[in-house]
Structures are given as C-alpha cells and as structure tokens.
Amino acid sequence: MAADAPIPAARRPSAAKVRLLEVADELFYAEGINMVGIDRIIAEAGVTKATFYKQYGSKDTLILEYIVGRDRQIRESLTELERTAPDPAATLRTLVDTIISDTNRLDFRGCPFINAAAEFPDPAHPVRRAIVAHRDWFTSFLESLLERVGHPTPGAAADELYLLRDGAMAGGYAGDPIAATSALTRAAERVLREALG
C-alpha cells in the first residue's frame, strides 16, 4: 500500500453479529454463562445457527467477546468520566456513586467479571486472562487518580479501593446493598482524606 493511500475503514460488524452479542450479554449476565446455551441465544437473537457459526464460530468466542465488550464499556465510561470531571477526587467520588447506583438497579447481578471468573477456574483460559487484563487496567486507573490526588501510597490505596468495590458489588447482590455501599463510601472518603489531609 502506498504511503499516501487512504487507510481502509474498519468494517462495521453485521447486524446479526451485534444482535447475537447483545442477547448473549444480557443472558450471560442475568443467568450465568454456562447456564445459557447457544440454541437459546440463536433463538432470542432471531438468527440461524449457520449465521451464528459464521459470525462467532463457537460459544467460547462469543463468551470472550462478551467479556471484552464489558471491559471496553467500562474503559470508555471511566475515560469519559475522567475527562469531564473537574479533578481526580471528583472522578473517584463519581465512580463510587456510579457503583452505588449500579447495585441498586433491579437487574443487578453483581460484577460480571467476578461472576465469569467463578465459571472459568483455569487461570490460563482466555476468559480469565481477559478478566485479569481488565482488573489490571482498572487498578492502574485508580492508582493514577490517587497519585494525582496526592495519596502517599497510591498503589496500595488503589488495591484497597478495588477490593472494596468488589466487596460492595458482591455484598450488594448477595446481601444488603445499603450496608455494602455505605461501607464503600466510608472507605473511599477515608482514602481521599489520606491524600487531601
């Protein structure tokens, strides 16, 4: 390709591919990945089995796309939040508010990444590797915010906040969401006080 040749536009996924992923995303999160069969996804998406196999080839590929898609949504959302918030402390507070809001949704079923990790125990599985990549990115995002806020130990504080986020999401689904999110709010404010003095 010549240096001045235009870069070809990325091909948009077909409507069938998008629909299959939308249906899978909804069902995998609501009911569990291993509980939902391909035939049900195909039926609810309104496509043929041949179309499914042409678009994804296997359920494993669709599962990985589900995890990667959830990761992409969160990265885009947090990047936009960081861009529009007045400062890193406001970004952290808004993030905590978002987690609290999520736990109060009627369709809330906990963290999709923790749920998926429970269904894929092999750490070498591509789904588990994608989950680890997501968690590493999220922790780095928190660490960067805490560093800019001036926290004396931003890495340790990011680990603590992420663990608290995990606990709030698990506790909010399996137990009392008010108690879980109240604990998250208190801990996040303590972490910010450590930075802001």
Side-chain angles (χ1 to χ4, degrees):
M1 182 183 293
D4 59 350
I7 298 171
R11 286 181 38 186
R12 296 181 68 103
S14 71
K17 185 169 190 172
V18 170
R19 180 66 185 141
L20 282 161
L21 185 56
E22 287 173 348
V23 169
D25 184 276
E26 181 180 320
L27 293 175
F28 288 163
Y29 181 68
E31 299 179 23
I33 293 169
N34 292 325
M35 294 298 295
V36 177
I38 286 301
D39 289 341
R40 181 164 172 214
I41 293 169
I42 289 167
E44 293 202 20
V47 301
T48 65
K49 192 170 279 195
T51 298
F52 169 79
Y53 285 107
K54 178 182 176 188
Q55 298 298 329
Y56 286 101
S58 69
K59 183 180 178 184
D60 283 348
T61 302
L62 180 60
I63 293 166
L64 189 57
E65 283 293 313
Y66 159 66
I67 294 298
V68 169
R70 287 277 177 151
D71 171 61
R72 184 172 43 253
Q73 290 169 6
I74 290 172
R75 288 183 193 227
E76 289 171 358
S77 174
L78 292 181
T79 300
E80 178 64 12
L81 171 60
E82 182 180 26
R83 188 186 69 74
T84 57
D87 56 59
T91 302
L92 284 166
R93 287 187 174 106
T94 303
L95 173 56
V96 169
D97 291 344
T98 301
I99 293 166
I100 292 168
S101 176
D102 285 347
T103 62
N104 288 307
R105 290 190 341 254
L106 290 177
D107 64 345
F108 181 69
R109 298 293 178 266
C111 170
F113 300 96
I114 294 173
N115 295 348
E119 294 194 60
F120 291 87
D122 179 2
H125 193 284
V127 168
R128 283 297 293 270
R129 290 200 308 265
I131 292 167
V132 168
H134 167 77
R135 294 179 66 83
D136 287 347
W137 179 86
F138 203 137
T139 304
S140 295
F141 177 84
L142 292 172
E143 183 176 359
S144 173
L145 291 175
L146 289 161
E147 189 171 29
R148 284 183 283 135
V149 168
H151 197 283
T153 56
D159 289 341
E160 182 179 2
L161 279 179
Y162 202 0
L163 183 62
L164 290 162
R165 174 247 179 224
D166 286 349
M169 294 192 90
Y173 175 53
D176 181 351
I178 294 172
T181 55
S182 295
L184 173 64
T185 301
R186 288 192 304 273
E189 284 301 323
R190 177 184 49 74
V191 167
L192 282 172
R193 281 195 305 274
E194 290 169 356
L196 301 172

